[in-house]
PDB file of all heavy atoms in Angstrom:
ATOM      1  N   ILE A1487    -129.131 -30.989 -70.157  1.00 85.00           N
ATOM      2  CA  ILE A1487    -129.216 -31.421 -71.516  1.00 85.00           C
ATOM      3  C   ILE A1487    -127.687 -31.648 -71.948  1.00 85.00           C
ATOM      4  O   ILE A1487    -126.871 -30.699 -71.882  1.00 85.00           O
ATOM      5  CB  ILE A1487    -129.752 -30.431 -72.407  1.00 85.00           C
ATOM      6  CG1 ILE A1487    -131.272 -30.163 -71.995  1.00 85.00           C
ATOM      7  CG2 ILE A1487    -129.766 -30.938 -73.807  1.00 85.00           C
ATOM      8  CD1 ILE A1487    -131.984 -29.063 -72.750  1.00 85.00           C
ATOM      9  N   ALA A1488    -127.391 -32.924 -72.426  1.00 83.00           N
ATOM     10  CA  ALA A1488    -126.096 -33.287 -72.898  1.00 83.00           C
ATOM     11  C   ALA A1488    -126.015 -33.008 -74.381  1.00 83.00           C
ATOM     12  O   ALA A1488    -126.770 -33.610 -75.218  1.00 83.00           O
ATOM     13  CB  ALA A1488    -125.848 -34.667 -72.595  1.00 83.00           C
ATOM     14  N   ILE A1489    -125.165 -31.986 -74.816  1.00 82.00           N
ATOM     15  CA  ILE A1489    -125.100 -31.751 -76.198  1.00 82.00           C
ATOM     16  C   ILE A1489    -123.628 -32.081 -76.670  1.00 82.00           C
ATOM     17  O   ILE A1489    -122.673 -31.755 -76.067  1.00 82.00           O
ATOM     18  CB  ILE A1489    -125.206 -30.160 -76.441  1.00 82.00           C
ATOM     19  CG1 ILE A1489    -126.663 -29.716 -75.989  1.00 82.00           C
ATOM     20  CG2 ILE A1489    -124.980 -29.751 -77.907  1.00 82.00           C
ATOM     21  CD1 ILE A1489    -126.778 -28.278 -75.983  1.00 82.00           C
ATOM     22  N   PRO A1490    -123.575 -32.987 -77.675  1.00 80.00           N
ATOM     23  CA  PRO A1490    -122.196 -33.411 -78.077  1.00 80.00           C
ATOM     24  C   PRO A1490    -121.424 -32.296 -78.800  1.00 80.00           C
ATOM     25  O   PRO A1490    -121.965 -31.501 -79.438  1.00 80.00           O
ATOM     26  CB  PRO A1490    -122.598 -34.526 -79.056  1.00 80.00           C
ATOM     27  CG  PRO A1490    -124.015 -34.307 -79.528  1.00 80.00           C
ATOM     28  CD  PRO A1490    -124.686 -33.528 -78.438  1.00 80.00           C
ATOM     29  N   LYS A1491    -120.113 -32.365 -78.593  1.00 81.00           N
ATOM     30  CA  LYS A1491    -119.242 -31.347 -79.239  1.00 81.00           C
ATOM     31  C   LYS A1491    -119.221 -31.731 -80.727  1.00 81.00           C
ATOM     32  O   LYS A1491    -119.250 -32.921 -81.014  1.00 81.00           O
ATOM     33  CB  LYS A1491    -117.861 -31.448 -78.625  1.00 81.00           C
ATOM     34  CG  LYS A1491    -117.868 -30.961 -77.149  1.00 81.00           C
ATOM     35  CD  LYS A1491    -116.449 -31.145 -76.534  1.00 81.00           C
ATOM     36  CE  LYS A1491    -116.507 -30.786 -75.120  1.00 81.00           C
ATOM     37  NZ  LYS A1491    -115.169 -31.031 -74.419  1.00 81.00           N
ATOM     38  N   PRO A1492    -119.025 -30.727 -81.505  1.00 82.00           N
ATOM     39  CA  PRO A1492    -118.926 -31.093 -82.974  1.00 82.00           C
ATOM     40  C   PRO A1492    -117.905 -31.891 -83.405  1.00 82.00           C
ATOM     41  O   PRO A1492    -116.828 -31.797 -82.821  1.00 82.00           O
ATOM     42  CB  PRO A1492    -119.112 -29.579 -83.622  1.00 82.00           C
ATOM     43  CG  PRO A1492    -118.838 -28.591 -82.527  1.00 82.00           C
ATOM     44  CD  PRO A1492    -118.906 -29.380 -81.186  1.00 82.00           C
ATOM     45  N   ALA A1493    -118.164 -32.676 -84.365  1.00 78.00           N
ATOM     46  CA  ALA A1493    -117.040 -33.547 -84.956  1.00 78.00           C
ATOM     47  C   ALA A1493    -116.344 -34.444 -84.038  1.00 78.00           C
ATOM     48  O   ALA A1493    -115.112 -34.668 -84.226  1.00 78.00           O
ATOM     49  CB  ALA A1493    -116.044 -32.693 -85.818  1.00 78.00           C
ATOM     50  N   LYS A1494    -117.060 -34.946 -83.057  1.00 76.00           N
ATOM     51  CA  LYS A1494    -116.574 -35.905 -82.183  1.00 76.00           C
ATOM     52  C   LYS A1494    -117.326 -37.311 -82.139  1.00 76.00           C
ATOM     53  O   LYS A1494    -118.600 -37.268 -82.291  1.00 76.00           O
ATOM     54  CB  LYS A1494    -116.612 -35.320 -80.673  1.00 76.00           C
ATOM     55  CG  LYS A1494    -115.629 -34.064 -80.561  1.00 76.00           C
ATOM     56  CD  LYS A1494    -114.277 -34.325 -80.463  1.00 76.00           C
ATOM     57  CE  LYS A1494    -113.479 -33.192 -80.254  1.00 76.00           C
ATOM     58  NZ  LYS A1494    -112.122 -33.283 -80.051  1.00 76.00           N
ATOM     59  N   PRO A1495    -116.782 -38.377 -81.854  1.00 73.00           N
ATOM     60  CA  PRO A1495    -117.513 -39.508 -81.784  1.00 73.00           C
ATOM     61  C   PRO A1495    -118.449 -39.711 -80.708  1.00 73.00           C
ATOM     62  O   PRO A1495    -118.093 -39.267 -79.490  1.00 73.00           O
ATOM     63  CB  PRO A1495    -116.455 -40.724 -81.675  1.00 73.00           C
ATOM     64  CG  PRO A1495    -115.304 -40.039 -81.085  1.00 73.00           C
ATOM     65  CD  PRO A1495    -115.262 -38.589 -81.545  1.00 73.00           C
ATOM     66  N   SER A1496    -119.704 -39.889 -80.909  1.00 69.00           N
ATOM     67  CA  SER A1496    -120.806 -39.788 -79.808  1.00 69.00           C
ATOM     68  C   SER A1496    -120.696 -40.895 -78.736  1.00 69.00           C
ATOM     69  O   SER A1496    -121.401 -40.848 -77.791  1.00 69.00           O
ATOM     70  CB  SER A1496    -122.151 -39.860 -80.483  1.00 69.00           C
ATOM     71  OG  SER A1496    -122.440 -41.010 -81.172  1.00 69.00           O
ATOM     72  N   GLY A1497    -119.832 -41.814 -78.885  1.00 71.00           N
ATOM     73  CA  GLY A1497    -119.819 -42.875 -77.908  1.00 71.00           C
ATOM     74  C   GLY A1497    -119.095 -42.556 -76.677  1.00 71.00           C
ATOM     75  O   GLY A1497    -119.325 -43.310 -75.605  1.00 71.00           O
ATOM     76  N   ASP A1498    -118.240 -41.632 -76.633  1.00 73.00           N
ATOM     77  CA  ASP A1498    -117.480 -41.173 -75.435  1.00 73.00           C
ATOM     78  C   ASP A1498    -118.244 -40.187 -74.591  1.00 73.00           C
ATOM     79  O   ASP A1498    -118.487 -38.984 -75.113  1.00 73.00           O
ATOM     80  CB  ASP A1498    -116.179 -40.671 -76.009  1.00 73.00           C
ATOM     81  CG  ASP A1498    -115.183 -40.268 -74.792  1.00 73.00           C
ATOM     82  OD1 ASP A1498    -115.561 -40.608 -73.636  1.00 73.00           O
ATOM     83  OD2 ASP A1498    -114.017 -39.613 -75.023  1.00 73.00           O
ATOM     84  N   PRO A1499    -118.577 -40.454 -73.342  1.00 72.00           N
ATOM     85  CA  PRO A1499    -119.304 -39.500 -72.458  1.00 72.00           C
ATOM     86  C   PRO A1499    -118.561 -38.159 -72.313  1.00 72.00           C
ATOM     87  O   PRO A1499    -119.239 -37.201 -72.046  1.00 72.00           O
ATOM     88  CB  PRO A1499    -119.492 -40.259 -71.282  1.00 72.00           C
ATOM     89  CG  PRO A1499    -119.184 -41.657 -71.429  1.00 72.00           C
ATOM     90  CD  PRO A1499    -118.274 -41.712 -72.673  1.00 72.00           C
ATOM     91  N   LYS A1500    -117.246 -38.146 -72.454  1.00 75.00           N
ATOM     92  CA  LYS A1500    -116.486 -36.903 -72.221  1.00 75.00           C
ATOM     93  C   LYS A1500    -116.751 -35.911 -73.227  1.00 75.00           C
ATOM     94  O   LYS A1500    -116.331 -34.745 -73.103  1.00 75.00           O
ATOM     95  CB  LYS A1500    -115.055 -37.277 -72.015  1.00 75.00           C
ATOM     96  CG  LYS A1500    -114.686 -37.994 -70.790  1.00 75.00           C
ATOM     97  CD  LYS A1500    -113.184 -38.357 -70.745  1.00 75.00           C
ATOM     98  CE  LYS A1500    -112.890 -39.206 -69.582  1.00 75.00           C
ATOM     99  NZ  LYS A1500    -111.623 -39.425 -69.310  1.00 75.00           N
ATOM    100  N   ILE A1501    -117.256 -36.236 -74.322  1.00 79.00           N
ATOM    101  CA  ILE A1501    -117.345 -35.308 -75.476  1.00 79.00           C
ATOM    102  C   ILE A1501    -118.676 -34.477 -75.414  1.00 79.00           C
ATOM    103  O   ILE A1501    -118.945 -33.605 -76.244  1.00 79.00           O
ATOM    104  CB  ILE A1501    -117.232 -35.956 -76.865  1.00 79.00           C
ATOM    105  CG1 ILE A1501    -118.421 -36.844 -77.225  1.00 79.00           C
ATOM    106  CG2 ILE A1501    -115.940 -36.682 -77.098  1.00 79.00           C
ATOM    107  CD1 ILE A1501    -119.437 -36.403 -77.998  1.00 79.00           C
ATOM    108  N   TYR A1502    -119.578 -34.786 -74.308  1.00 80.00           N
ATOM    109  CA  TYR A1502    -120.713 -34.035 -74.225  1.00 80.00           C
ATOM    110  C   TYR A1502    -120.626 -32.840 -73.437  1.00 80.00           C
ATOM    111  O   TYR A1502    -119.830 -32.912 -72.373  1.00 80.00           O
ATOM    112  CB  TYR A1502    -121.847 -34.919 -73.604  1.00 80.00           C
ATOM    113  CG  TYR A1502    -122.284 -35.937 -74.572  1.00 80.00           C
ATOM    114  CD1 TYR A1502    -121.710 -37.198 -74.687  1.00 80.00           C
ATOM    115  CD2 TYR A1502    -123.337 -35.687 -75.411  1.00 80.00           C
ATOM    116  CE1 TYR A1502    -122.098 -38.228 -75.609  1.00 80.00           C
ATOM    117  CE2 TYR A1502    -123.834 -36.643 -76.352  1.00 80.00           C
ATOM    118  CZ  TYR A1502    -123.205 -37.878 -76.444  1.00 80.00           C
ATOM    119  OH  TYR A1502    -123.706 -38.814 -77.463  1.00 80.00           O
ATOM    120  N   ARG A1503    -121.185 -31.738 -73.741  1.00 81.00           N
ATOM    121  CA  ARG A1503    -121.231 -30.459 -72.995  1.00 81.00           C
ATOM    122  C   ARG A1503    -122.535 -30.328 -72.368  1.00 81.00           C
ATOM    123  O   ARG A1503    -123.550 -30.285 -72.991  1.00 81.00           O
ATOM    124  CB  ARG A1503    -120.957 -29.304 -74.028  1.00 81.00           C
ATOM    125  CG  ARG A1503    -120.851 -28.039 -73.439  1.00 81.00           C
ATOM    126  CD  ARG A1503    -120.548 -26.887 -74.545  1.00 81.00           C
ATOM    127  NE  ARG A1503    -119.210 -27.155 -75.061  1.00 81.00           N
ATOM    128  CZ  ARG A1503    -118.934 -27.134 -76.361  1.00 81.00           C
ATOM    129  NH1 ARG A1503    -120.036 -26.917 -77.222  1.00 81.00           N
ATOM    130  NH2 ARG A1503    -117.795 -27.279 -76.918  1.00 81.00           N
ATOM    131  N   PRO A1504    -122.515 -30.341 -71.070  1.00 81.00           N
ATOM    132  CA  PRO A1504    -123.746 -30.201 -70.281  1.00 81.00           C
ATOM    133  C   PRO A1504    -124.271 -28.781 -70.090  1.00 81.00           C
ATOM    134  O   PRO A1504    -123.489 -27.779 -69.998  1.00 81.00           O
ATOM    135  CB  PRO A1504    -123.400 -30.772 -68.914  1.00 81.00           C
ATOM    136  CG  PRO A1504    -122.065 -30.349 -68.641  1.00 81.00           C
ATOM    137  CD  PRO A1504    -121.382 -30.444 -70.127  1.00 81.00           C
ATOM    138  N   ILE A1505    -125.616 -28.532 -70.464  1.00 84.00           N
ATOM    139  CA  ILE A1505    -126.164 -27.253 -70.395  1.00 84.00           C
ATOM    140  C   ILE A1505    -127.327 -27.532 -69.273  1.00 84.00           C
ATOM    141  O   ILE A1505    -128.190 -28.372 -69.438  1.00 84.00           O
ATOM    142  CB  ILE A1505    -126.857 -26.950 -71.654  1.00 84.00           C
ATOM    143  CG1 ILE A1505    -125.874 -26.824 -72.796  1.00 84.00           C
ATOM    144  CG2 ILE A1505    -127.633 -25.521 -71.502  1.00 84.00           C
ATOM    145  CD1 ILE A1505    -124.777 -25.797 -72.760  1.00 84.00           C
ATOM    146  N   SER A1506    -127.277 -26.722 -68.268  1.00 83.00           N
ATOM    147  CA  SER A1506    -128.133 -26.845 -67.198  1.00 83.00           C
ATOM    148  C   SER A1506    -129.372 -25.724 -67.332  1.00 83.00           C
ATOM    149  O   SER A1506    -128.973 -24.609 -67.291  1.00 83.00           O
ATOM    150  CB  SER A1506    -127.443 -26.622 -65.837  1.00 83.00           C
ATOM    151  OG  SER A1506    -128.366 -26.731 -64.843  1.00 83.00           O
ATOM    152  N   LEU A1507    -130.519 -26.185 -67.292  1.00 87.00           N
ATOM    153  CA  LEU A1507    -131.715 -25.219 -67.340  1.00 87.00           C
ATOM    154  C   LEU A1507    -132.375 -25.196 -65.965  1.00 87.00           C
ATOM    155  O   LEU A1507    -132.918 -26.255 -65.449  1.00 87.00           O
ATOM    156  CB  LEU A1507    -132.634 -25.644 -68.384  1.00 87.00           C
ATOM    157  CG  LEU A1507    -132.094 -25.780 -69.818  1.00 87.00           C
ATOM    158  CD1 LEU A1507    -133.100 -26.345 -70.760  1.00 87.00           C
ATOM    159  CD2 LEU A1507    -131.419 -24.529 -70.365  1.00 87.00           C
ATOM    160  N   LEU A1508    -132.382 -24.076 -65.367  1.00 86.00           N
ATOM    161  CA  LEU A1508    -132.918 -23.913 -63.978  1.00 86.00           C
ATOM    162  C   LEU A1508    -134.316 -23.318 -64.116  1.00 86.00           C
ATOM    163  O   LEU A1508    -134.586 -22.557 -65.132  1.00 86.00           O
ATOM    164  CB  LEU A1508    -131.959 -23.184 -63.194  1.00 86.00           C
ATOM    165  CG  LEU A1508    -130.745 -23.849 -62.813  1.00 86.00           C
ATOM    166  CD1 LEU A1508    -129.709 -22.853 -62.212  1.00 86.00           C
ATOM    167  CD2 LEU A1508    -130.952 -24.930 -61.868  1.00 86.00           C
ATOM    168  N   CYS A1509    -135.064 -23.318 -63.021  1.00 88.00           N
ATOM    169  CA  CYS A1509    -136.287 -22.659 -62.843  1.00 88.00           C
ATOM    170  C   CYS A1509    -136.050 -21.217 -62.932  1.00 88.00           C
ATOM    171  O   CYS A1509    -135.064 -20.659 -62.384  1.00 88.00           O
ATOM    172  CB  CYS A1509    -136.803 -23.059 -61.528  1.00 88.00           C
ATOM    173  SG  CYS A1509    -138.318 -22.108 -61.136  1.00 88.00           S
ATOM    174  N   VAL A1510    -136.840 -20.514 -63.653  1.00 91.00           N
ATOM    175  CA  VAL A1510    -136.869 -19.035 -63.761  1.00 91.00           C
ATOM    176  C   VAL A1510    -136.792 -18.270 -62.427  1.00 91.00           C
ATOM    177  O   VAL A1510    -135.983 -17.446 -62.245  1.00 91.00           O
ATOM    178  CB  VAL A1510    -137.872 -18.359 -64.686  1.00 91.00           C
ATOM    179  CG1 VAL A1510    -137.833 -16.997 -64.729  1.00 91.00           C
ATOM    180  CG2 VAL A1510    -137.760 -18.951 -66.092  1.00 91.00           C
ATOM    181  N   SER A1511    -137.589 -18.689 -61.551  1.00 91.00           N
ATOM    182  CA  SER A1511    -137.642 -18.030 -60.270  1.00 91.00           C
ATOM    183  C   SER A1511    -136.427 -18.222 -59.487  1.00 91.00           C
ATOM    184  O   SER A1511    -135.952 -17.280 -58.804  1.00 91.00           O
ATOM    185  CB  SER A1511    -138.796 -18.708 -59.367  1.00 91.00           C
ATOM    186  OG  SER A1511    -139.998 -18.551 -60.071  1.00 91.00           O
ATOM    187  N   PHE A1512    -135.730 -19.474 -59.545  1.00 89.00           N
ATOM    188  CA  PHE A1512    -134.460 -19.736 -58.957  1.00 89.00           C
ATOM    189  C   PHE A1512    -133.373 -18.751 -59.468  1.00 89.00           C
ATOM    190  O   PHE A1512    -132.592 -18.139 -58.782  1.00 89.00           O
ATOM    191  CB  PHE A1512    -134.119 -21.150 -59.028  1.00 89.00           C
ATOM    192  CG  PHE A1512    -132.961 -21.471 -58.316  1.00 89.00           C
ATOM    193  CD1 PHE A1512    -133.095 -21.826 -56.995  1.00 89.00           C
ATOM    194  CD2 PHE A1512    -131.699 -21.561 -58.858  1.00 89.00           C
ATOM    195  CE1 PHE A1512    -131.904 -22.236 -56.275  1.00 89.00           C
ATOM    196  CE2 PHE A1512    -130.545 -21.973 -58.097  1.00 89.00           C
ATOM    197  CZ  PHE A1512    -130.720 -22.301 -56.723  1.00 89.00           C
ATOM    198  N   LYS A1513    -133.365 -18.620 -60.891  1.00 88.00           N
ATOM    199  CA  LYS A1513    -132.423 -17.762 -61.509  1.00 88.00           C
ATOM    200  C   LYS A1513    -132.616 -16.246 -61.226  1.00 88.00           C
ATOM    201  O   LYS A1513    -131.613 -15.559 -61.030  1.00 88.00           O
ATOM    202  CB  LYS A1513    -132.473 -17.946 -63.115  1.00 88.00           C
ATOM    203  CG  LYS A1513    -132.122 -19.240 -63.583  1.00 88.00           C
ATOM    204  CD  LYS A1513    -132.225 -19.412 -65.003  1.00 88.00           C
ATOM    205  CE  LYS A1513    -131.120 -18.715 -65.773  1.00 88.00           C
ATOM    206  NZ  LYS A1513    -129.743 -19.182 -65.615  1.00 88.00           N
ATOM    207  N   ILE A1514    -133.839 -15.775 -61.029  1.00 91.00           N
ATOM    208  CA  ILE A1514    -134.083 -14.544 -60.470  1.00 91.00           C
ATOM    209  C   ILE A1514    -133.485 -14.132 -59.121  1.00 91.00           C
ATOM    210  O   ILE A1514    -132.790 -13.299 -58.861  1.00 91.00           O
ATOM    211  CB  ILE A1514    -135.562 -14.142 -60.646  1.00 91.00           C
ATOM    212  CG1 ILE A1514    -135.901 -13.930 -62.075  1.00 91.00           C
ATOM    213  CG2 ILE A1514    -135.851 -12.794 -59.821  1.00 91.00           C
ATOM    214  CD1 ILE A1514    -137.495 -13.968 -62.277  1.00 91.00           C
ATOM    215  N   LEU A1515    -133.750 -15.299 -58.288  1.00 89.00           N
ATOM    216  CA  LEU A1515    -133.215 -15.123 -56.795  1.00 89.00           C
ATOM    217  C   LEU A1515    -131.805 -15.146 -56.929  1.00 89.00           C
ATOM    218  O   LEU A1515    -131.032 -14.374 -56.232  1.00 89.00           O
ATOM    219  CB  LEU A1515    -133.747 -16.374 -56.137  1.00 89.00           C
ATOM    220  CG  LEU A1515    -133.344 -16.453 -54.732  1.00 89.00           C
ATOM    221  CD1 LEU A1515    -133.773 -15.175 -53.838  1.00 89.00           C
ATOM    222  CD2 LEU A1515    -133.840 -17.714 -53.998  1.00 89.00           C
ATOM    223  N   GLU A1516    -131.138 -15.919 -57.758  1.00 87.00           N
ATOM    224  CA  GLU A1516    -129.573 -15.909 -57.862  1.00 87.00           C
ATOM    225  C   GLU A1516    -129.083 -14.593 -58.229  1.00 87.00           C
ATOM    226  O   GLU A1516    -128.048 -14.130 -57.652  1.00 87.00           O
ATOM    227  CB  GLU A1516    -129.157 -16.937 -58.937  1.00 87.00           C
ATOM    228  CG  GLU A1516    -129.002 -18.400 -58.535  1.00 87.00           C
ATOM    229  CD  GLU A1516    -128.540 -19.264 -59.683  1.00 87.00           C
ATOM    230  OE1 GLU A1516    -128.713 -19.003 -60.874  1.00 87.00           O
ATOM    231  OE2 GLU A1516    -127.815 -20.292 -59.309  1.00 87.00           O
ATOM    232  N   ARG A1517    -129.744 -14.093 -59.220  1.00 87.00           N
ATOM    233  CA  ARG A1517    -129.265 -12.700 -59.698  1.00 87.00           C
ATOM    234  C   ARG A1517    -129.460 -11.492 -58.642  1.00 87.00           C
ATOM    235  O   ARG A1517    -128.565 -10.690 -58.488  1.00 87.00           O
ATOM    236  CB  ARG A1517    -130.063 -12.248 -61.014  1.00 87.00           C
ATOM    237  CG  ARG A1517    -129.490 -13.199 -62.114  1.00 87.00           C
ATOM    238  CD  ARG A1517    -129.945 -12.698 -63.377  1.00 87.00           C
ATOM    239  NE  ARG A1517    -129.628 -13.670 -64.524  1.00 87.00           N
ATOM    240  CZ  ARG A1517    -129.766 -13.489 -65.710  1.00 87.00           C
ATOM    241  NH1 ARG A1517    -130.355 -12.405 -66.167  1.00 87.00           N
ATOM    242  NH2 ARG A1517    -129.261 -14.424 -66.660  1.00 87.00           N
ATOM    243  N   LEU A1518    -130.475 -11.678 -57.903  1.00 88.00           N
ATOM    244  CA  LEU A1518    -130.707 -10.692 -56.819  1.00 88.00           C
ATOM    245  C   LEU A1518    -129.706 -10.748 -55.712  1.00 88.00           C
ATOM    246  O   LEU A1518    -129.118  -9.798 -55.275  1.00 88.00           O
ATOM    247  CB  LEU A1518    -132.131 -10.858 -56.105  1.00 88.00           C
ATOM    248  CG  LEU A1518    -133.341 -10.508 -57.022  1.00 88.00           C
ATOM    249  CD1 LEU A1518    -134.639 -11.001 -56.250  1.00 88.00           C
ATOM    250  CD2 LEU A1518    -133.262  -9.000 -57.210  1.00 88.00           C
ATOM    251  N   ILE A1519    -129.324 -12.042 -55.460  1.00 87.00           N
ATOM    252  CA  ILE A1519    -128.259 -12.356 -54.361  1.00 87.00           C
ATOM    253  C   ILE A1519    -126.992 -11.892 -55.051  1.00 87.00           C
ATOM    254  O   ILE A1519    -126.105 -11.172 -54.276  1.00 87.00           O
ATOM    255  CB  ILE A1519    -128.234 -13.755 -53.943  1.00 87.00           C
ATOM    256  CG1 ILE A1519    -129.503 -13.968 -53.076  1.00 87.00           C
ATOM    257  CG2 ILE A1519    -127.072 -14.161 -53.174  1.00 87.00           C
ATOM    258  CD1 ILE A1519    -129.643 -15.328 -52.704  1.00 87.00           C
ATOM    259  N   TYR A1520    -126.690 -12.161 -56.230  1.00 84.00           N
ATOM    260  CA  TYR A1520    -125.435 -11.940 -56.838  1.00 84.00           C
ATOM    261  C   TYR A1520    -125.166 -10.262 -56.865  1.00 84.00           C
ATOM    262  O   TYR A1520    -124.163  -9.852 -56.681  1.00 84.00           O
ATOM    263  CB  TYR A1520    -125.318 -12.430 -58.319  1.00 84.00           C
ATOM    264  CG  TYR A1520    -124.000 -12.034 -58.986  1.00 84.00           C
ATOM    265  CD1 TYR A1520    -122.903 -12.815 -58.741  1.00 84.00           C
ATOM    266  CD2 TYR A1520    -123.977 -10.981 -59.873  1.00 84.00           C
ATOM    267  CE1 TYR A1520    -121.682 -12.361 -59.361  1.00 84.00           C
ATOM    268  CE2 TYR A1520    -122.785 -10.638 -60.446  1.00 84.00           C
ATOM    269  CZ  TYR A1520    -121.643 -11.277 -60.151  1.00 84.00           C
ATOM    270  OH  TYR A1520    -120.410 -10.995 -60.809  1.00 84.00           O
ATOM    271  N   ALA A1521    -126.259  -9.607 -57.191  1.00 85.00           N
ATOM    272  CA  ALA A1521    -126.227  -8.111 -57.235  1.00 85.00           C
ATOM    273  C   ALA A1521    -125.766  -7.514 -55.845  1.00 85.00           C
ATOM    274  O   ALA A1521    -125.082  -6.592 -55.790  1.00 85.00           O
ATOM    275  CB  ALA A1521    -127.544  -7.553 -57.593  1.00 85.00           C
ATOM    276  N   ARG A1522    -126.141  -8.201 -54.696  1.00 84.00           N
ATOM    277  CA  ARG A1522    -125.704  -7.766 -53.462  1.00 84.00           C
ATOM    278  C   ARG A1522    -124.395  -8.216 -53.042  1.00 84.00           C
ATOM    279  O   ARG A1522    -123.716  -7.583 -52.294  1.00 84.00           O
ATOM    280  CB  ARG A1522    -126.733  -8.205 -52.292  1.00 84.00           C
ATOM    281  CG  ARG A1522    -128.055  -7.447 -52.564  1.00 84.00           C
ATOM    282  CD  ARG A1522    -128.977  -7.744 -51.421  1.00 84.00           C
ATOM    283  NE  ARG A1522    -128.474  -7.338 -50.164  1.00 84.00           N
ATOM    284  CZ  ARG A1522    -128.960  -7.622 -49.013  1.00 84.00           C
ATOM    285  NH1 ARG A1522    -130.020  -8.431 -48.856  1.00 84.00           N
ATOM    286  NH2 ARG A1522    -128.464  -7.271 -47.825  1.00 84.00           N
ATOM    287  N   VAL A1523    -123.932  -9.459 -53.492  1.00 83.00           N
ATOM    288  CA  VAL A1523    -122.733  -9.972 -53.096  1.00 83.00           C
ATOM    289  C   VAL A1523    -121.470  -9.576 -53.938  1.00 83.00           C
ATOM    290  O   VAL A1523    -120.470  -9.300 -53.393  1.00 83.00           O
ATOM    291  CB  VAL A1523    -122.717 -11.569 -53.194  1.00 83.00           C
ATOM    292  CG1 VAL A1523    -121.406 -12.139 -52.905  1.00 83.00           C
ATOM    293  CG2 VAL A1523    -123.818 -12.034 -52.037  1.00 83.00           C
ATOM    294  N   ASP A1524    -121.757  -9.336 -55.141  1.00 80.00           N
ATOM    295  CA  ASP A1524    -120.587  -9.028 -56.186  1.00 80.00           C
ATOM    296  C   ASP A1524    -119.806  -7.867 -55.759  1.00 80.00           C
ATOM    297  O   ASP A1524    -118.484  -7.858 -55.836  1.00 80.00           O
ATOM    298  CB  ASP A1524    -121.059  -8.835 -57.585  1.00 80.00           C
ATOM    299  CG  ASP A1524    -120.086  -8.715 -58.556  1.00 80.00           C
ATOM    300  OD1 ASP A1524    -119.184  -9.552 -58.702  1.00 80.00           O
ATOM    301  OD2 ASP A1524    -120.056  -7.645 -59.267  1.00 80.00           O
ATOM    302  N   PRO A1525    -120.326  -6.707 -55.338  1.00 80.00           N
ATOM    303  CA  PRO A1525    -119.457  -5.598 -54.899  1.00 80.00           C
ATOM    304  C   PRO A1525    -118.485  -5.816 -53.779  1.00 80.00           C
ATOM    305  O   PRO A1525    -117.598  -5.073 -53.523  1.00 80.00           O
ATOM    306  CB  PRO A1525    -120.435  -4.454 -54.622  1.00 80.00           C
ATOM    307  CG  PRO A1525    -121.779  -4.836 -55.319  1.00 80.00           C
ATOM    308  CD  PRO A1525    -121.755  -6.443 -55.295  1.00 80.00           C
ATOM    309  N   LEU A1526    -119.005  -6.922 -52.912  1.00 79.00           N
ATOM    310  CA  LEU A1526    -118.072  -7.220 -51.766  1.00 79.00           C
ATOM    311  C   LEU A1526    -116.924  -8.116 -52.029  1.00 79.00           C
ATOM    312  O   LEU A1526    -116.138  -8.330 -51.187  1.00 79.00           O
ATOM    313  CB  LEU A1526    -119.066  -7.886 -50.708  1.00 79.00           C
ATOM    314  CG  LEU A1526    -120.250  -6.942 -50.286  1.00 79.00           C
ATOM    315  CD1 LEU A1526    -121.107  -7.771 -49.367  1.00 79.00           C
ATOM    316  CD2 LEU A1526    -119.807  -5.589 -49.663  1.00 79.00           C
ATOM    317  N   LEU A1527    -117.002  -8.698 -53.255  1.00 74.00           N
ATOM    318  CA  LEU A1527    -115.951  -9.732 -53.663  1.00 74.00           C
ATOM    319  C   LEU A1527    -114.645  -8.932 -53.766  1.00 74.00           C
ATOM    320  O   LEU A1527    -114.555  -7.889 -54.456  1.00 74.00           O
ATOM    321  CB  LEU A1527    -116.296 -10.520 -54.854  1.00 74.00           C
ATOM    322  CG  LEU A1527    -117.536 -11.416 -54.717  1.00 74.00           C
ATOM    323  CD1 LEU A1527    -117.926 -12.007 -55.989  1.00 74.00           C
ATOM    324  CD2 LEU A1527    -117.427 -12.395 -53.653  1.00 74.00           C
ATOM    325  N   PRO A1528    -113.444  -9.703 -53.488  1.00 73.00           N
ATOM    326  CA  PRO A1528    -112.111  -9.046 -53.800  1.00 73.00           C
ATOM    327  C   PRO A1528    -111.916  -9.038 -55.318  1.00 73.00           C
ATOM    328  O   PRO A1528    -112.519  -9.835 -56.037  1.00 73.00           O
ATOM    329  CB  PRO A1528    -111.111  -9.953 -53.029  1.00 73.00           C
ATOM    330  CG  PRO A1528    -111.905 -11.144 -52.804  1.00 73.00           C
ATOM    331  CD  PRO A1528    -113.412 -10.861 -52.702  1.00 73.00           C
TER     332      PRO A1528
END
């Protein structure tokens, strides 16, 4: 979803802030993997 930044002209594509909505199942899988990987990161 492209959300425009406040008080900016809407004609410029660079002023939009993208928000990505993922499938809930995918997000749960990401968090499970992150929980195992995070302690190993420097």
Side-chain angles (χ1 to χ4, degrees):
I1487 300 173
I1489 299 174
K1491 295 177 184 175
K1494 300 281 184 175
S1496 62
D1498 183 6
K1500 292 181 181 179
I1501 65 103
Y1502 287 89
R1503 184 175 295 133
I1505 306 293
S1506 179
L1507 304 175
L1508 293 167
C1509 174
V1510 173
S1511 303
F1512 190 84
K1513 291 181 75 67
I1514 290 170
L1515 180 60
E1516 277 184 332
R1517 289 188 185 188
L1518 289 170
I1519 290 175
Y1520 180 79
R1522 290 191 60 194
V1523 171
D1524 186 55
L1526 304 173
L1527 297 175

